Amino acid sequence: RRAFGKNPAFQKREVKCFAMGGEELEDFRCEHLMKPRKYRRCHCGVLSCPAHCSNCDEDEDEDDGSSEFGESRDSEFELVGCFPLVDGDVTGEVEDAADFACRDWTQDVACRSGLPFYRLQTNHDMTPELCFEFCIGAGLDLFGLVGEDCRCGASLLNKDVWAAAGGTPRAGLLLPLSKQLATEDCPVRVYRWIGPFVSGGSVPEHLQMLHVGNTI
């Protein structure tokens, strides 16, 4: 759409509500979360604008206070729950941030207890805030504390991560949601970024930093 005023054009995009496991939900289930605006500013010099696009009024997409623009809420996360440490999974010295132990993993049991991509340790106490910044910077929406380890993973909503696998991740690379613990013992405490995902399923570029390499 072409817009009146300063901005030359908008792209209309569909906004939907999804569960962490990828199931589509009714809109009211996401009312408490930040969401993308229906129209994204673009420029016809960068993207091709079709000749048949129609004019629109910017007021049609007025910010309602829960969108991504002008807000700092894209740095929020919430607790998912506690999960078991998979047999054979150990914590300890981390030599490299990029953890390649799960690269050729073909078993159904969760590799690295469902957080298979990056790991981080510090010389002081690991906090959820520090772990979040590390993992979201790598474009990963799940993160967890395993002892003094920070580990990163991805939900099914994070489609950019799974694109290289044809959109279908191996079961052993996913967080085993069905094994969530209801006890006070919490060997793997998992959190998730609350979104919104953009461009069909990716963490916004402004949150990502190439601090640990870009290949897994």
Side-chain angles (χ1 to χ4, degrees), residues 23-209:
E23 304 86 4
E24 186 172 351
L25 303 174
E26 295 181 77
D27 288 345
F28 78 89
R29 300 285 296 276
C30 292
E31 286 180 350
H32 63 295
L33 299 174
M34 185 175 60
K35 61 183 179 182
R37 292 175 67 170
K38 290 182 295 184
Y39 294 94
R40 179 175 63 178
R41 292 180 179 88
C42 60
H43 197 288
C44 292
V46 178
L47 297 174
S48 176
C49 295
H52 63 274
C53 63
S54 58
N55 290 327
C56 68
D57 190 334
E58 291 186 52
D59 291 337
E60 182 181 349
D61 194 37
E62 185 176 353
D63 189 358
D64 64 0
S66 63
S67 74
E68 72 203 84
F69 293 99
E71 297 290 329
S72 61
R73 295 181 57 198
D74 54 8
S75 63
E76 288 187 357
F77 56 87
E78 65 182 9
L79 178 68
V80 175
C82 296
F83 294 83
L85 191 67
V86 172
D87 289 343
D89 189 359
V90 295
T91 62
E93 193 73 20
V94 176
E95 295 182 359
D96 297 303
D99 188 348
F100 295 101
C102 302
R103 180 168 55 184
D104 300 319
W105 192 264
T106 57
Q107 301 178 43
D108 288 339
V109 64
C111 185
R112 293 293 191 212
S113 300
L115 300 170
F117 295 124
Y118 292 120
R119 300 173 68 192
L120 175 70
Q121 285 185 341
T122 65
N123 293 326
H124 48 81
D125 291 340
M126 178 62 67
T127 65
E129 290 78 12
L130 179 60
C131 189
F132 165 73
E133 293 294 341
F134 173 74
C135 293
I136 200 71
L140 298 164
D141 59 307
L142 294 183
F143 63 99
L145 303 185
V146 186
E148 291 300 315
D149 281 6
C150 163
R151 297 186 185 180
C152 309
S155 71
L156 286 172
L157 298 178
N158 200 340
K159 294 182 180 179
D160 258 13
V161 171
W162 308 117
T168 304
R170 286 169 279 159
L173 301 183
L174 293 171
L175 181 69
L177 293 172
S178 63
K179 297 187 181 297
Q180 185 171 348
L181 300 174
T183 64
E184 293 184 3
D185 185 34
C186 196
V188 183
R189 186 180 300 273
V190 178
Y191 302 81
R192 75 178 187 107
W193 174 60
I194 63 174
F197 292 91
V198 297
S199 303
S202 64
V203 172
E205 289 185 1
H206 72 275
L207 292 177
Q208 299 187 45
M209 300 176 291

